[in-house]
Amino acid sequence: MNENQLLHVLLTTTFAKSDLSRRLGIAREYVNQRFFTSGGKKDVKKFLAGGNLSVDDQRVLTEWGDDFLQTFTKENASSLFDALDREVKNLPVINLYVPMELGSQDVAKIGTWMRKNLDPSVLIELHRDSSTFGGCALAWEGMYHDYSLHHTLRTKIDPIRKILSEYAK
């Protein structure tokens, strides 16, 4: 596989920037252990199982497949990982502000929608922000958009007051 194919594999399984960086680090660790550690080298499944990794990370790295990890050789591992790190840094990022932690399935749903509707290689940078209750906010291409209930109530306060005043009469 070449760099573009490797990046494509990464992007088909990972939507959040932090997840991608962490998973690339895990893959780098595995490859380093495979080539540069003396003694008991572990196969992928043993390495993943023994690394105190989340079930989701284990599943995703397994989904990358043997072809992905076999691309790395003793001679090219460092340069390939460095190239992937550079490519990831150049991907578009959307900052998403949500009031709670999102599960991996939620991130995948949101990421799939964003890649379909905004940019096919966009990564999400998640931020927890309790002021976005009842919705979310996002920053994309230099624009901040607030879709939270708090923001809506604040911007529509006069019509809300009018409705409540008429109701109270």
Side-chain angles (χ1 to χ4, degrees):
M1 288 186 175
N2 64 31
E3 285 175 36
N4 289 334
Q5 292 168 319
L6 292 171
L7 186 61
H8 177 73
V9 170
L10 297 173
L11 292 176
T12 58
T13 56
T14 306
F15 298 93
K17 186 175 182 178
S18 59
D19 291 343
L20 187 55
S21 296
R22 184 182 62 256
R23 290 172 182 162
L24 263 176
I26 295 166
R28 185 185 294 254
E29 223 177 287
Y30 168 72
V31 168
N32 284 340
Q33 148 322 114
R34 194 171 91 203
F35 294 123
F36 306 112
T37 302
S38 61
K41 296 177 174 112
K42 301 174 187 173
D43 67 6
V44 179
K45 290 184 183 191
K46 286 182 183 174
F47 177 82
L48 294 175
N52 291 330
L53 304 175
S54 72
V55 173
D56 199 46
D57 283 344
Q58 290 181 39
R59 178 189 55 79
V60 168
L61 270 83
T62 302
E63 283 179 18
W64 289 355
D66 291 335
D67 288 345
F68 180 89
L69 292 171
Q70 296 307 322
T71 301
F72 298 92
T73 65
K74 194 173 192 173
E75 293 75 29
N76 74 5
S78 183
S79 62
L80 260 181
F81 277 116
D82 290 346
L84 285 171
D85 286 339
R86 279 192 305 277
E87 289 293 322
V88 167
K89 285 179 185 170
N90 290 324
L91 292 174
V93 174
I94 187 164
N95 288 284
L96 180 63
Y97 301 87
V98 292
M100 62 192 172
E101 290 292 322
L102 296 178
S104 59
Q105 290 179 337
D106 296 323
V107 173
K109 283 180 190 176
I110 293 168
T112 300
W113 184 91
M114 287 182 176
R115 287 191 182 159
K116 180 180 176 188
N117 294 289
L118 298 177
D119 188 300
S121 60
V122 70
L123 289 174
I124 302 168
E125 189 150 341
L126 289 166
H127 305 276
R128 209 165 138 219
D129 181 358
S130 60
S131 72
T132 59
F133 68 92
C136 69
L138 54 94
W140 171 245
E141 295 182 337
M143 297 289 291
Y144 181 80
H145 306 277
D146 193 341
Y147 300 105
S148 68
L149 180 59
H150 183 260
H151 174 74
T152 303
L153 290 174
R154 195 173 59 235
T155 59
K156 308 283 186 194
I157 193 68
D158 290 335
I160 292 169
R161 281 186 181 145
K162 183 180 177 189
I163 291 168
L164 292 174
S165 294
E166 288 182 17
Y167 179 76
K169 287 181 186 176

